[in-house]
Amino acid sequence: MQEKNRGLALFTFLVFVFLLGPLLIISITSFEGGSILKFPPEEYSFKWYENIFKVEMFLSTFKTSIIVSIAGNILALLLGVPAAYALSRFDFAGKGIINGIFVSPILIPGIVLGFSFLRYIVVAYELPIYTSLFIGHTVIMLPFIIRVISSSLTNFDFSIEEAALSLGASRIGTFFFIVIPNIKSGIIAAVMIAFLESFNNVDISVYMTGPGVSTFPIQMLLYVENYFDPTVAAISVLLMIITALFMFIVERLMGLSYFTKR
């Protein structure tokens, strides 16, 4: 029994090394003092972190990605929460078809979906680039919003809602004051997953950008094609730190609200 536990511990350790090893290598190489990305570094420096803020395209595309992801996330949330509620709460004709339509952007390859957006949104309707990006990113975030919130609603006891309705509460009031607070953690998780999917997207965004307009991941890809310095490694480390801090803050806020309610 003890040998099995040791074997399981060794296997778990190897899995963590396999998953975290590349992140550790990227983190170390980001401090390379030379002009070429290599591991292990011969000397250490923070100059590539400074270089991030010297490249204007990184700053402008980061701003574009943040704005598009947040705006698309808000619209996807406004559409996805009622859709997830309706799909979980009611039975109606065509429910399976509608559910399949909402999930289809996840199943369709990104390149195919991006080309379809280019053909039927950008070219056919001649929409501005920012509008096209906003629509495209909303579409790719919507399935994640619906699926995650639907999962939260499967654990929700709708008899609580019915009890509130029987006591005179309106359906809209019940939705906002009974349903939403009970699935708040699912909504936060959906927002985080959808935001990361949108912010890191390349295969769809590359079809919907144009002259003078790009997104942060595309700019990173273009930079790697032309330069072989550790700047992108430094960007990756900063993004990992920002993501970890964001998740920590959200977790603390969720925990604080839980204890406040109790």
Side-chain angles (χ1 to χ4, degrees), residues 243-262:
T243 303
L245 287 175
F246 178 71
M247 294 178 66
F248 175 77
I249 292 171
V250 170
E251 183 182 3
R252 295 289 293 179
L253 290 175
M254 290 175 62
L256 181 62
S257 63
Y258 172 77
F259 286 111
T260 302
K261 288 173 60 179
R262 289 180 64 88

Side-chain angles (χ1 to χ4, degrees), residues 101-122 132 135-144 197 201-208:
I101 293 174
F102 281 135
V103 179
S104 59
I106 299 178
L107 305 177
I108 300 174
I111 295 177
V112 176
L113 193 61
F115 181 78
S116 301
F117 287 158
L118 174 66
R119 174 67 180 84
Y120 295 104
I121 295 180
V122 179
S132 302
I135 295 174
H137 280 247
T138 300
V139 171
I140 64 176
M141 283 190 280
L142 190 58
F144 294 95
E197 173 65 22
N201 183 270
V202 174
D203 46 6
I204 293 175
S205 299
V206 73
Y207 285 96
M208 311 194 74

Side-chain angles (χ1 to χ4, degrees), residues 54-85:
K54 294 179 181 178
V55 180
E56 184 178 351
M57 286 303 297
F58 282 146
L59 301 178
S60 61
T61 54
F62 182 81
K63 180 180 178 181
T64 299
S65 293
I66 288 291
I67 292 174
V68 170
S69 297
I70 291 177
N73 209 325
I74 292 172
L75 180 58
L77 194 64
L78 293 175
L79 297 174
V81 173
Y85 174 78

Side-chain angles (χ1 to χ4, degrees), residues 6-215:
R6 290 178 179 176
L8 181 60
L10 177 61
F11 178 76
T12 304
F13 174 75
L14 293 177
V15 169
F16 274 104
V17 170
F18 178 77
L19 294 175
L20 301 179
L23 302 181
L24 180 62
I25 293 174
I26 291 174
S27 301
I28 295 174
T29 54
S30 67
F31 296 100
E32 167 63 43
S35 58
I36 298 177
L37 180 68
K38 55 186 174 182
F39 180 85
E42 295 181 356
E43 54 181 319
Y44 294 88
S45 173
F46 286 93
K47 67 178 182 179
W48 300 114
Y49 288 89
E50 297 176 2
N51 189 52
I52 298 172
F53 302 97
K54 294 179 181 178
V55 180
E56 184 178 351
M57 286 303 297
F58 282 146
L59 301 178
S60 61
T61 54
F62 182 81
K63 180 180 178 181
T64 299
S65 293
I66 288 291
I67 292 174
V68 170
S69 297
I70 291 177
N73 209 325
I74 292 172
L75 180 58
L77 194 64
L78 293 175
L79 297 174
V81 173
Y85 174 78
L87 291 171
S88 301
R89 182 72 173 87
F90 306 108
D91 291 322
F92 50 88
K95 177 179 177 179
I97 297 175
I98 295 175
N99 191 33
I101 293 174
F102 281 135
V103 179
S104 59
I106 299 178
L107 305 177
I108 300 174
I111 295 177
V112 176
L113 193 61
F115 181 78
S116 301
F117 287 158
L118 174 66
R119 174 67 180 84
Y120 295 104
I121 295 180
V122 179
V123 176
Y125 294 98
E126 299 182 353
L127 295 177
I129 295 176
Y130 283 106
T131 305
S132 302
L133 271 174
F134 171 67
I135 295 174
H137 280 247
T138 300
V139 171
I140 64 176
M141 283 190 280
L142 190 58
F144 294 95
I145 295 287
I146 292 176
R147 300 306 296 175
V148 175
I149 295 178
S150 295
S151 298
S152 295
L153 286 169
T154 56
N155 298 320
F156 176 69
D157 187 1
F158 285 103
S159 62
I160 301 175
E161 181 188 23
E162 295 173 358
L165 292 172
S166 66
L167 293 173
S170 64
R171 184 166 291 277
I172 295 178
T174 303
F175 177 76
F176 282 103
F177 294 105
I178 301 296
V179 178
I180 294 297
N182 281 278
I183 62 171
K184 181 173 61 175
S185 59
I187 294 175
I188 294 174
V191 168
M192 292 178 60
I193 294 172
F195 178 83
L196 293 175
E197 173 65 22
S198 171
F199 185 85
N200 295 319
N201 183 270
V202 174
D203 46 6
I204 293 175
S205 299
V206 73
Y207 285 96
M208 311 194 74
T209 52
V213 179
S214 184
T215 60

